[in-house]
Amino acid sequence: MKLSETKYNKLLLTEFKGDKNQLHTEFVRVIEEHGYSEEIKIDFYKAAFNSLMNWHKTHTRKDEFYYDYLINLYVIFINALEEDEIDTSDIEAELEEFKTNKIPIYLSSTSALENRNYNPNTKYGRKKAREQALRNYENGTPEYRKEQDNIKVWAMVILIIGVVIFYWLKSKFMK
């Protein structure tokens, strides 16, 4: 069994969006430390895959395609290993664990909501923007609603302070 380094480098760099320089330097370091053998190369590529998957799990936007995207990455790597007749039981076990520990995703306030720009200088644009804001508030997550409520409270506090200062200054200068 001869493992194609270019195949796995291409797979890890293009499909999994790995860093070319870091992958190359780590590969050279591992080969220098442990020698050049097919088992070492297999372990290296599996470790690189796990590292990239951990990065994707934390940095990929958690929307409705999140789980399908990550499962697809697992399947691509498993298929590549199976083409070379390499044991994939450990990665398949990780995939099954990932599927069973599937935590429901609550969409972030920005990805779940409609964000279309309307012209505020027209009656139609103001009406559509107002409707959109109401729809976003109704369909938003509790965090989004809390954030919007906090903005409203602070705006009211600033407005009240401004009115108080205005009347205080008016009473001082109108005497």
Side-chain angles (χ1 to χ4, degrees):
M1 144 182 73
K2 178 81 171 134
L3 209 63
S4 170
E5 292 177 25
T6 57
K7 172 185 173 181
Y8 288 98
N9 284 339
K10 182 180 176 188
L11 183 69
L12 292 172
L13 295 176
T14 58
E15 294 291 331
F16 300 100
K17 297 174 180 52
D19 183 6
K20 182 178 182 178
N21 294 329
Q22 185 178 8
L23 185 70
H24 178 68
T25 56
E26 284 299 311
F27 184 74
V28 169
R29 184 188 63 78
V30 167
I31 296 301
E32 286 176 357
E33 285 181 15
H34 302 287
Y36 190 83
S37 71
E38 294 300 312
E39 291 79 22
I40 296 297
K41 286 180 9 182
I42 291 169
D43 290 341
F44 172 77
Y45 288 123
K46 284 183 178 182
F49 168 76
N50 286 332
S51 174
L52 289 170
M53 285 305 293
N54 289 335
W55 184 88
H56 280 289
K57 287 176 185 176
T58 57
H59 291 90
T60 301
R61 190 169 123 207
K62 293 175 176 54
D63 58 7
E64 63 268 17
F65 305 112
Y66 172 75
Y67 286 107
D68 294 334
Y69 174 71
L70 293 181
I71 289 171
N72 188 37
L73 292 179
Y74 272 109
V75 170
I76 289 170
F77 193 69
I78 289 171
N79 289 340
L81 290 175
E82 286 176 346
E83 285 176 7
D84 294 331
E85 299 174 358
I86 298 172
D87 180 37
T88 60
S89 59
D90 53 343
I91 296 177
E92 288 174 351
E94 286 179 29
L95 174 58
E96 290 305 315
E97 180 182 340
F98 178 72
K99 286 180 180 178
T100 57
N101 293 337
K102 188 174 182 179
I103 300 169
I105 299 173
Y106 297 104
L107 299 176
S108 68
S109 60
T110 56
S111 65
L113 306 177
E114 182 182 349
N115 288 318
R116 217 167 139 206
N117 293 328
Y118 293 100
N119 185 354
N121 297 326
T122 64
K123 187 175 182 181
Y124 174 80
R126 289 188 299 272
K127 175 185 168 202
K128 293 305 266 183
R130 187 172 46 253
E131 290 172 356
Q132 176 181 316
L134 182 61
R135 210 172 26 253
N136 286 348
Y137 184 81
E138 289 172 352
N139 297 331
T141 62
E143 294 85 19
Y144 176 78
R145 288 182 183 185
K146 185 178 179 182
E147 180 183 333
Q148 294 301 311
D149 291 339
N150 285 340
I151 291 171
K152 289 177 193 174
V153 167
W154 281 108
M156 287 302 294
V157 167
I158 291 171
L159 181 68
I160 291 171
I161 290 173
V163 168
V164 168
I165 291 173
F166 174 76
Y167 281 110
W168 180 74
L169 288 174
K170 186 178 176 183
S171 67
K172 284 287 189 189
F173 292 116
M174 293 305 232
K175 289 184 180 182

